[in-house]
């Protein structure tokens, strides 16, 4: 069984920055794509950013955060980060970490979600 634990959320003024972290633990052979998703009250969960495992990691960002956020990962620590700058009130949401994990060599990758961390941006 694999768990994802997020940290780094909180309350910040508009224009401020936050760095979210998410660490995977448990029976892990390898981790493919890792990512961050956000869910605002009354809205569907949506992609914020993803990063693949190969090389330096190929990244993808939602248009709403391009230029303001950077996703990165430390494969040795099974950890993914999201640096968010120039935060806006509309960034307020619960941020969830996601990872495609394989429990053993040759096994099938499956999706794991963290419990979420609240980000609140005050104007």
């Amino acid at each position: 069984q694999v768990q994802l634990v997020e940290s780094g959320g909180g309350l910040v003024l508009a224009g401020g920055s936050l760095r979210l972290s998410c660490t995977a633990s448990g029976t892990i052979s390898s981790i493919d794509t890792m990512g961050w998703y956000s869910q605002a009250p009354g809205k569907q969960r949506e992609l914020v950013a993803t990063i693949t495992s190969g090389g330096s990691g190929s990244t993808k960002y939602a248009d709403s955060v391009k230029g303001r956020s950077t996703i990165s990962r430390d494969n040795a620590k099974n950890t993914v980060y999201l640096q968010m700058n120039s935060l806006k009130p509309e960034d307020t949401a619960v941020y969830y970490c996601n990872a495609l994990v394989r429990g053993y060599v040759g096994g099938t990758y499956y999706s794991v979600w963290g419990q979420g961390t609240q980000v609140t941006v005050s104007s």
Side-chain angles (χ1 to χ4, degrees):
Q1 190 169 352
V2 175
Q3 287 186 322
L4 300 181
V5 177
E6 299 112 331
S7 62
L11 174 64
V12 64
L13 291 175
S17 299
L18 283 175
R19 188 192 194 208
L20 306 184
S21 300
C22 169
T23 299
S25 63
T27 304
I28 299 170
S29 170
S30 59
I31 303 177
D32 193 350
T33 301
M34 302 184 80
W36 290 94
Y37 294 74
S38 66
Q39 188 167 20
K43 294 188 177 181
Q44 290 188 331
R45 191 173 299 186
E46 57 186 24
L47 179 148
V48 177
T50 60
I51 183 169
T52 62
S53 61
S56 58
S58 175
T59 58
K60 182 170 71 173
Y61 295 92
D63 288 343
S64 60
V65 303
K66 277 181 184 176
R68 299 190 296 122
S69 296
T70 302
I71 188 170
S72 59
R73 63 190 286 173
D74 184 334
N75 292 326
K77 296 181 179 179
N78 290 336
T79 298
V80 63
Y81 306 95
L82 183 68
Q83 176 69 43
M84 300 190 294
N85 302 320
S86 302
L87 283 161
K88 305 175 182 179
E90 50 264 44
D91 293 321
T92 295
V94 177
Y95 284 72
Y96 295 91
C97 175
N98 176 264
L100 293 178
V101 178
R102 185 165 61 179
Y104 56 92
V105 176
T108 302
Y109 283 97
Y110 62 95
S111 178
V112 181
W113 290 92
Q115 81 287 354
T117 185
Q118 176 70 46
V119 171
T120 303
V121 185
S122 171
S123 58

